[in-house]
């Protein structure tokens, strides 16, 4: 009978624990990350008798989680991709609203400015039109500054998000390492710490929301976690933390690297997926690009308008002054530099600007300037180098190994402003005028008089061009030139009457028609330009002139390309986010189907266990009755 009692007792104890496990499943039906647990029963070691072996009862062999590691890994990867895609789509949507919104776009301000330029060209002597032009210049300036300020706010937000996310990542990997240590302590004891494993899986899943990771299961039960290009974050119970640090060459920019090193290295480009990967991608692919292209447009407008202003005369009869603040490229020296080198950087040819940042390195002998977008580089002994329309002069030599960051344009939009307040300073007139001698007998004309520079102005005296059939000798016809170096000008009426373009020093004009011998033209200083609009017409022409990206786009094209690119990438990001979310839901559903708790199934199991428990209790009761009957019989 003691054997029967032992069998019944083992059944009661085992069933009691199984009921507790089922109750745990039921109570955690809504617990995120909980894995349904199953109890496996096994017969205890039998007792050997003379007639054979007889059972001694039952025991719980194991309590296991219902998990599929493949589905877990799939859910981690899909979580990282879906979270990253949605974060990027949200950020791109906000950027598109800034750049493409009807109330915030640069396009209306550009149209308004050049419409005001045309109004001055239509009435060059009127002060109201000139005042409106200055006002529209301020509207354009405000729009540049507003857009750049809002993009700069993105940078501040990104810096905070990077810092906060890195802090959360480090907290999670510390927690995963601690959980690994607990799992390792139970390894080999035949006891599975199910709740600890669930907690670790949940921490890994949360980590995958923040950054793209890969995980590797180890034989001791621990899980190693890697990020980026194979950088280990968790190996067993050991961790390698990340750190957010200010870029040595640009302290306004927060980068991400490995903690615990004397000189941190920026590993931002290796981090993909999750919130952190999306934020880093948005910064380099959208904010940096948008600010650079916006700044490039600002630099181009400032440089070209100011240059055209300088080639004209204002209402006071003076050479035009800068209408907009001249651009100032940003030069930053790494805080790790050993020397005190100084660079002088200026804009040379705006049509060659790319909008990229550049890194200048000095190896002790040569200077190497690298385009950070394309990695194309130019090397020279200095002290002067020209790269993509940027003129660089080393005024104070640095130490070997020193590094400088050159940002020609991305700050320009935020610094764009109107320099003048007096409408009389608008240079609408050309500094020179031409006239045709009243005695000319032919039909030749001198037209389109402009200047390429102001070094020779005002002219010391009139410049006279006179047609001579033998101007160049040997019967070669042309125009003799008096008053300026550079003549004579070859001009054959038989072949050139349709017109030729002439460059005479800084003078530019066109000759056409058929002259007679002695016909002449006169070029002289413009003494009264109040009704002259020739320079303003040239300034108005800048609106449609293709001056950006190697002469392939005008100002509006450049901005439209920027807005269109971000809009397209925003649409792609939204589509990707929708796709990834659907795939994530499929992965989570598949995972839940395996490890989730089914209340109907647990209720049925509970009833089964209850019946078994009652039967085991009845077994003990029957055994007790038999034993009592036996004892009563033997007492007689």
């Amino acid at each position: 009978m003691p054997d029967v009692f032992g069998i019944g007792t083992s059944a009661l104890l085992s069933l009691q624990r199984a009921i507790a496990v089922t109750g745990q499943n039921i109570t955690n039906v809504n617990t995120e990350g909980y894995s349904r647990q199953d109890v496996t029963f096994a017969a205890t070691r039998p007792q050997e008798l003379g007639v054979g072996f007889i059972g001694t009862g039952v025991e719980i062999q194991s309590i296991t989680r219902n998990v599929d590691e493949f589905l877990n890994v799939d859910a981690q990867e899909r979580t990282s991709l879906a979270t990253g895609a949605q974060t990027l789509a949200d950020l791109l949507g906000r950027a598109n609203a800034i750049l493409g919104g009807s109330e915030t776009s640069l396009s209306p301000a550009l149209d308004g400015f050049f419409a005001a330029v045309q109004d001055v060209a239509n009435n060059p002597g009127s002060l109201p039109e000139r005042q409106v032009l200055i006002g529209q210049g301020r509207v354009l300036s405000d729009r540049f500054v507003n857009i750049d300020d809002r993009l700069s706010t993105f940078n501040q937000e990104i810096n905070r998000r990077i810092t906060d996310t890195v802090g959360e990542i480090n907290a999670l990997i510390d927690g995963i390492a601690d959980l690994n240590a607990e799992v390792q302590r139970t390894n080999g004891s035949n006891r599975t710490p199910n709740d600890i494993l669930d907690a670790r899986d949940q921490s890994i899943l949360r980590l995958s929301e923040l950054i793209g990771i890969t995980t590797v299961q180890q034989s001791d039960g621990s899980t190693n976690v890697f990020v980026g290009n194979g950088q280990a974050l968790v190996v067993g119970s050991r961790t390698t933390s990340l750190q957010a640090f200010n870029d040595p060459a640009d302290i306004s920019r927060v980068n991400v690297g490995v903690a615990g090193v004397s000189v941190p290295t920026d590993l931002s480009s290796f981090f993909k997926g999750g919130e952190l990967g999306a934020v880093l991608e948005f910064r380099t692919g959208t904010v940096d690009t948008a600010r650079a292209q916006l700044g490039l447009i600002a630099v181009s407008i400032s440089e070209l308008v100011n240059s055209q202003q300088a080639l004209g005369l204002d209402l006071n009869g003076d050479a035009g002054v800068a209408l907009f603040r001249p651009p100032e490229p940003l030069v930053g020296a790494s805080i790790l530099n050993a020397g005190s080198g100084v660079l002088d950087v200026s804009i040379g040819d705006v049509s060659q600007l790319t909008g990229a940042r550049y890194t200048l390195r000095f190896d002790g002998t040569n200077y190497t300037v690298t385009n950070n977008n394309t990695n194309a580089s130019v090397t020279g002994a200095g002290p002067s180098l020209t790269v993509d329309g940027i003129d660089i002069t080393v005024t104070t030599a640095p130490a070997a190994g020193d590094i400088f960051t050159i940002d020609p344009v991305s700050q320009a939009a935020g610094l764009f402003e109107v320099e003048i307040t007096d409408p009389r300073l608008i240079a609408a007139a050309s500094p020179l005028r031409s006239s045709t001698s009243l005695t000319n007998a032919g039909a030749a004309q001198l037209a389109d008089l402009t200047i390429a520079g102001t070094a020779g102005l005002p002219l010391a005296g009139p410049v006279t061009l006179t047609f001579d059939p033998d101007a160049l000798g040997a019967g070669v016809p042309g125009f003799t030139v008096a008053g300026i170096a550079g003549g004579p000008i070859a001009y054959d009426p038989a072949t050139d009457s349709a017109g030729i373009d002439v460059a005479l020093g800084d003078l530019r004009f066109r000759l056409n028609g058929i002259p007679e011998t002695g016909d002449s033209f006169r070029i002289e200083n413009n003494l009264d330009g109040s009704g002259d609009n020739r320079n303003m017409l040239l300034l108005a022409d800048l609106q449609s002139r293709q001056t950006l990206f190697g002469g392939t786009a005008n100002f509006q094209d450049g901005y439209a390309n920027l807005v269109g690119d971000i809009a397209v990438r925003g649409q792609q990001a939204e589509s990707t986010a929708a796709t990834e979310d659907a795939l994530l839901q499929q992965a989570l559903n598949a995972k839940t189907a395996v490890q989730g708790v089914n209340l109907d199934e647990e209720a049925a199991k509970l009833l089964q266990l209850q019946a078994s428990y009652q039967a085991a209790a009845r077994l003990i009761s029957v055994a007790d009755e038999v034993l009592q009957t036996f004892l009563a019989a033997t007492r007689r």
Side-chain angles (χ1 to χ4, degrees), residues 35 65-79 197-198 201 204-205 208 215 217 587 591 595:
S35 300
R65 299 188 304 155
N66 278 270
V67 294
D68 186 319
E69 290 301 332
F70 173 79
L71 295 179
N72 271 353
V73 171
D74 187 45
Q76 292 164 19
E77 293 176 351
R78 290 298 168 194
T79 297
L197 294 176
D198 280 347
D201 286 349
I204 291 174
L205 190 64
S208 69
T215 56
Q217 300 294 325
K591 178 183 175 184
Q595 72 179 52

Side-chain angles (χ1 to χ4, degrees), residues 43-389:
T44 56
R45 185 179 183 84
Q47 181 179 2
E48 184 177 2
L49 299 177
V51 295
F53 292 88
I54 188 170
T56 58
V58 66
E59 64 180 357
I60 293 179
Q61 186 179 50
S62 65
I63 302 174
T64 58
R65 299 188 304 155
N66 278 270
V67 294
D68 186 319
E69 290 301 332
F70 173 79
L71 295 179
N72 271 353
V73 171
D74 187 45
Q76 292 164 19
E77 293 176 351
R78 290 298 168 194
T79 297
S80 179
L81 292 172
T83 305
Q86 188 59 57
T87 301
L88 183 60
D90 292 342
L91 291 169
L92 282 169
R94 290 166 56 192
N96 188 51
I98 293 172
L99 294 167
S102 58
E103 299 299 323
T104 57
S105 172
L106 184 68
S107 295
L110 278 172
D111 289 338
F113 174 75
F114 281 104
V117 169
Q118 189 61 55
D119 288 342
V120 174
N122 294 337
N123 195 2
S126 172
L127 288 179
E129 279 82 353
R130 290 166 173 262
Q131 191 64 60
V132 169
L133 174 57
I134 293 175
Q136 286 297 326
R138 293 197 184 103
V139 171
L140 181 60
S141 168
D142 291 344
R143 192 60 54 87
F144 268 120
V145 172
N146 179 265
I147 295 174
D148 185 73
D149 182 62
R150 295 180 71 176
L151 291 175
S152 297
T153 301
F154 268 128
N155 266 333
Q156 298 167 15
E157 176 187 337
I158 288 168
N159 286 343
R160 290 194 300 271
R161 292 181 72 157
I162 289 173
T163 302
D164 293 346
T165 303
V166 167
E168 189 173 354
I169 287 172
N170 288 337
L172 283 169
I173 63 177
D174 287 343
I176 293 169
D178 291 341
L179 293 170
N180 273 344
E182 292 189 51
V183 172
Q184 288 171 329
R185 281 195 292 272
T186 63
N187 186 50
S189 65
N190 229 7
R191 291 176 291 126
T192 304
N194 294 322
D195 293 331
I196 295 175
L197 294 176
D198 280 347
R200 186 179 66 184
D201 286 349
Q202 198 63 16
S203 293
I204 291 174
L205 190 64
R206 172 55 185 157
L207 182 61
S208 69
E209 292 180 6
L210 301 178
I211 190 170
I213 59 173
T214 55
T215 56
V216 178
Q217 300 294 325
Q218 301 299 300
S219 58
D220 61 359
S222 65
T223 298
N224 294 345
V225 181
F226 302 89
V227 68
N229 59 342
Q231 172 64 49
L233 293 183
V234 181
V235 176
S237 59
R238 294 179 291 108
T239 65
T240 300
S241 299
L242 300 179
Q243 68 168 327
F245 63 95
N246 293 106
D247 191 324
D250 182 1
I251 60 174
S252 67
R253 189 181 185 89
V254 173
N255 294 332
V256 184
V258 175
V261 294
S262 56
V263 180
T265 300
D266 180 23
L267 301 177
S268 301
S269 61
F270 296 106
F271 297 140
K272 308 295 182 183
E275 293 179 19
L276 182 60
V279 167
L280 292 170
E281 180 183 348
F282 178 70
R283 179 172 69 179
T284 56
T286 300
V287 177
D288 289 351
T289 300
R291 291 194 71 197
Q293 193 158 336
L294 188 70
L296 189 152
I297 296 170
V299 166
S300 299
I301 291 175
S302 178
E303 282 281 291
L304 294 171
V305 169
N306 288 349
S307 296
Q308 196 61 55
Q309 266 278 111
L311 299 179
L313 285 184
D314 62 23
L315 279 181
N316 299 322
D318 298 323
V321 296
L323 176 60
F324 297 114
R325 177 179 178 175
E328 300 174 6
L330 182 67
V331 179
S334 171
I335 59 176
L336 304 177
N337 284 0
S340 55
V342 177
L343 306 182
D344 180 26
V345 181
S346 60
I347 304 298
D349 183 356
V350 295
S351 69
Q352 299 303 312
L353 295 176
T354 64
R357 292 187 178 193
Y358 298 82
T359 300
L360 182 144
R361 292 180 171 83
F362 181 57
D363 62 8
T365 303
N366 291 315
Y367 298 90
T368 299
V369 182
T370 304
N371 182 314
N372 292 350
N373 289 353
T374 64
N375 290 324
S377 61
V378 173
T379 300
S384 298
L385 300 96
T386 297
V387 181
D388 297 335

Side-chain angles (χ1 to χ4, degrees), residues 26 32 48 108 121 217 237 244 251 276 312 438 457 471 545 566 596:
I26 293 172
E32 186 176 3
E48 184 177 2
Q217 300 294 325
S237 59
I251 60 174
L276 182 60
L438 296 176
L457 298 181
R545 192 185 305 171
I566 291 178

